[in-house]
Amino acid sequence: QVPLKPGRSLMDWIRLTKSGKDLTGLKGRLIEVTEDELAKHNKKEDCWICIRGFVYNVTPYMEYHPGGEDELMKAAGSDGTDLFDQVHRWVNYESMLKECLVGRMAVKPIAAPKEISSTLSEEKKQLNGMLPEKKVLGASAKGLTPSYDWFQTDSLITVVIYTKQKDVNAELVIVDCQDKQLRGEIIMDDHSYLVEVDLDHAVQEDLAVNIAEKVGKVEIILKKKDNIHWKMLGRPLESHNTLIKRTGRGLFYRKCKLVSKTEVTHDTKLFCLMLPKSTHLSVPTGQHVYLKQIIAGTEVVKPYTPVLPFLPLDFKEPSCHGGAHVYLMIKIYSCGLFTQALDHLQIGDYISVSSPEGNFKKSQVQTSEDLFLLAAGTGFTPMVKLLNFALTEVSCLRTVKLIFFNKTEDDILWRSQLEQLALKDERFEVQFVLSQPTKDWVGKHGKISSSLLCEFVKRSRKDSKVLICICGPTPFTEQGVQYLKDLGYSQEEIHAFSA
């Protein structure tokens, strides 16, 4: 992020888009844009960018872009979809840039390869009216592509997904049923398999999900509203029965109810959100979700990493916090448009929460002997579940050390819980570092530095396997990663959390 000039905040941008000013330069006309035409608009004072087939004039947005003008200019006069997906595919650009829409890209005719088109037409035939019971799609059942089936009793509908993968667990299965639309997603490494159907009849709100981990079978059990015989499961939606890269899926949201708000420090609160009964979702360690709010008529989205409701101090067995709630530790900024809106939510209000995202893998911890966690401020949030997982389930760990950077003592999140944990578990050590301490602070002070890391981040033995996780404001994370590399740690030994 770069500092924006005064009068260039998100709220200022929303005001400008609602002012009626012509932000495209086309007086409200929409045009079809060729590649040649797009390429001509590649300067700061005349900059068009294509995202997912739509072309936007981002010239007026330049000064309002939190990532700075240079980031936007990387895609000037070209297709910026890949660049956009890498940096912030969660941003709702359609809503943010709708007043900047120039038009669509002119479509070049592309001949479909023979085998694909024949497979698709075969699927279309079979999907016409949606599979009767007991027929599995021939086209998708080949090889290791997942497939599905369904059957019914008088009162239940059971949809079975055969993932053809071993070790499918609850964190890899996301199911939602909203307004008769069933959506079952299975995460398979960096791919996603989706069953998405507009059901033929209404079902009750609560659903059940059974997972046979060893054989990779997932059952979604729905209760019929009326005990009638269904002739078909329903109508297939656009992405139904597809296996694609995870990044190719749009983010899916469900409305969650705010059930409690608890003060953690003077400016940070713990929000507890309840998932709908018709949702099965569990956020994996090290992954984040996005919250979406409509602010002044514009959709605004921000990432947050769920935490546990508290730090468990008894590590005899893995603690299971039911998947019905999502806990978020959020710092409320006095001039923050989004967090102020969050803080004004009343108990019982709803907010949209996305499916989990992130590239952290637990296996990185499972093979480590030394785990170092470097956190600044609310960069502590990914460390909560990570600490719990490491101390509960990873037997090869010798040391787990948290180096927690804050401005003042009042800013330290869950200080007493962390200190109790250090007393309780001899493998765990916490070190607080303050940049603006009072005179009576006896601990470490300063900011992240090479000398500080040299002192705290040390292998327990010469060639021990190390994992260092770092999270905080972007400058903190970037500096920290550089210092660690200067100290001889490899890219494989460092995981930087970023949304």
Side-chain angles (χ1 to χ4, degrees):
Q1 292 207 340
V2 299
L4 297 171
K5 294 177 188 169
R8 295 293 182 271
S9 70
L10 175 60
M11 198 66 223
D12 293 315
W13 171 251
I14 292 173
R15 280 195 203 101
L16 178 61
T17 63
K18 302 211 176 328
S19 67
K21 193 174 174 188
D22 176 18
L23 299 182
T24 62
L26 297 173
K27 300 188 173 61
R29 283 181 308 124
L30 288 178
I31 61 170
E32 196 171 62
V33 183
T34 63
E35 276 186 23
D36 291 346
E37 180 62 31
L38 177 63
K40 289 177 193 167
H41 301 270
N42 62 354
K43 298 174 196 67
K44 217 168 248 191
E45 59 283 356
D46 177 20
C47 180
W48 290 8
I49 291 176
C50 171
I51 306 176
R52 299 199 215 297
F54 289 94
V55 178
Y56 298 90
N57 178 358
V58 297
T59 315
Y61 183 58
M62 284 280 174
E63 293 188 342
Y64 296 85
H65 184 236
E69 297 176 355
D70 293 346
E71 282 299 309
L72 282 177
M73 286 306 294
K74 286 179 185 172
S78 64
D79 190 322
T81 307
D82 287 348
L83 202 64
F84 176 84
D85 281 348
Q86 283 167 27
V87 183
H88 38 29
R89 78 185 197 87
W90 44 273
V91 171
N92 190 327
Y93 63 91
E94 295 105 325
S95 181
M96 295 280 284
L97 298 176
K98 63 185 173 205
E99 299 303 322
C100 301
L101 181 63
V102 170
R104 272 180 184 274
M105 283 299 287
V107 181
K108 287 193 286 192
I110 301 170
K114 256 202 173 106
E115 60 179 311
I116 291 181
S117 52
S118 64
T119 304
L120 284 175
S121 61
E122 187 58 32
E123 281 212 12
K124 281 279 189 321
K125 278 182 215 160
Q126 289 180 307
L127 276 174
N128 199 5
M130 192 72 186
L131 304 176
E133 288 175 84
K134 291 294 170 202
K135 271 198 190 166
V136 178
L137 280 181
S140 70
K142 290 174 187 146
L144 288 176
T145 310
S147 60
Y148 77 98
D149 197 350
W150 72 283
F151 52 89
Q152 62 185 312
T153 63
D154 287 346
S155 59
L156 301 176
I157 292 286
T158 302
V159 178
V160 186
I161 299 173
Y162 303 98
T163 67
K164 302 179 187 165
Q165 308 273 318
K166 285 184 179 154
D167 301 325
V168 174
N169 61 53
E171 290 183 344
L172 304 175
V173 179
I174 303 166
V175 180
D176 289 273
C177 196
Q178 300 175 358
D179 306 322
K180 271 182 63 191
Q181 291 196 353
L182 174 68
R183 185 183 191 281
E185 183 177 12
I186 313 289
I187 305 300
M188 302 159 71
D189 288 328
D190 58 351
H191 280 70
S192 143
Y193 175 70
L194 191 64
V195 166
E196 195 172 30
V197 181
D198 195 352
L199 295 169
D200 207 35
H201 298 280
V203 291
Q204 291 179 38
E205 196 183 8
D206 49 332
L207 54 79
V209 175
N210 293 337
I211 301 166
E213 295 194 15
K214 294 286 177 281
V215 292
K217 185 174 82 168
V218 176
E219 291 180 343
I220 303 166
I221 300 159
L222 308 166
K223 294 177 188 167
K224 294 178 178 178
K225 264 234 168 101
D226 306 301
N227 291 2
I228 53 175
H229 185 79
W230 289 26
K231 290 195 172 67
M232 58 180 75
L233 182 58
R235 188 176 59 81
L237 296 169
E238 195 182 351
S239 300
H240 173 68
N241 199 27
T242 54
L243 176 69
I244 64 169
K245 276 260 169 76
R246 276 182 82 178
T247 48
R249 292 253 184 253
L251 282 174
F252 185 82
Y253 289 86
R254 70 280 303 147
K255 281 198 158 40
C256 297
K257 187 195 277 191
L258 177 64
V259 291
S260 71
K261 233 192 310 190
T262 321
E263 225 165 76
V264 180
T265 67
H266 61 102
D267 63 359
T268 303
K269 294 182 180 177
L270 185 68
F271 288 71
C272 175
L273 304 172
M274 185 165 70
L275 292 165
K277 282 184 185 170
S278 55
T279 291
H280 170 278
L281 178 153
S282 147
V283 182
T285 298
Q287 295 201 6
H288 53 269
V289 295
Y290 297 99
L291 299 190
K292 179 168 72 176
Q293 295 194 92
I294 307 284
I295 299 176
T298 298
E299 271 188 10
V300 185
V301 178
K302 287 274 190 276
Y304 293 98
T305 305
V307 297
L308 299 172
F310 52 85
L311 269 181
L313 297 174
D314 188 358
F315 290 111
K316 290 190 180 69
E317 54 185 82
S319 53
C320 182
H321 295 280
H325 295 94
V326 175
Y327 293 88
L328 300 168
M329 202 183 276
I330 297 173
K331 183 172 180 173
I332 312 297
Y333 292 93
S334 56
C335 53
L337 191 64
F338 196 86
T339 58
Q340 283 295 326
L342 271 183
D343 198 30
H344 286 121
L345 288 176
Q346 302 297 307
I347 303 303
D349 285 351
Y350 285 84
I351 184 157
S352 295
V353 179
S354 80
S355 296
E357 290 233 317
N359 57 5
F360 182 80
K361 293 194 168 46
K362 282 180 175 176
S363 55
Q364 294 167 262
V365 186
Q366 284 163 328
T367 53
S368 300
E369 294 165 81
D370 301 327
L371 176 65
F372 295 99
L373 309 174
L374 310 178
T378 47
F380 169 62
T381 55
M383 309 310 178
V384 176
K385 282 189 173 183
L386 197 48
L387 261 179
N388 185 44
F389 171 69
L391 294 173
T392 309
E393 298 182 49
V394 186
S395 52
C396 57
L397 275 168
R398 295 157 178 264
T399 55
V400 179
K401 195 182 233 183
L402 170 67
I403 299 116
F404 195 0
F405 295 81
N406 286 281
K407 281 182 182 169
T408 69
E409 275 186 85
D410 290 343
D411 295 319
I412 302 173
L413 301 165
W414 281 0
R415 179 179 178 177
S416 63
Q417 290 197 39
L418 289 166
E419 288 173 338
Q420 282 175 45
L421 182 55
L423 290 171
K424 192 99 181 189
D425 195 305
E426 59 189 21
R427 294 168 298 168
F428 177 62
E429 185 187 331
V430 62
Q431 185 76 49
F432 301 115
V433 184
L434 301 183
S435 60
Q436 296 171 14
T438 53
K439 286 197 288 288
D440 47 6
W441 172 251
V442 291
K444 284 280 171 190
H445 58 86
K447 294 192 171 182
I448 193 164
S449 65
S450 192
S451 58
L452 211 139
L453 294 181
C454 188
E455 183 182 343
F456 289 136
V457 182
K458 288 180 182 159
R459 297 178 196 271
S460 57
R461 53 187 183 78
K462 196 178 162 195
D463 55 352
S464 65
K465 284 193 173 174
V466 168
L467 177 64
I468 307 166
C469 295
I470 182 166
C471 188
T474 308
F476 169 87
T477 304
E478 288 175 353
Q479 282 176 331
V481 169
Q482 193 51 57
Y483 292 142
L484 290 166
K485 285 181 178 172
D486 293 345
L487 290 170
Y489 292 98
S490 69
Q491 187 64 58
E492 289 66 46
E493 293 174 317
I494 304 167
H495 181 89
F497 285 103
S498 61

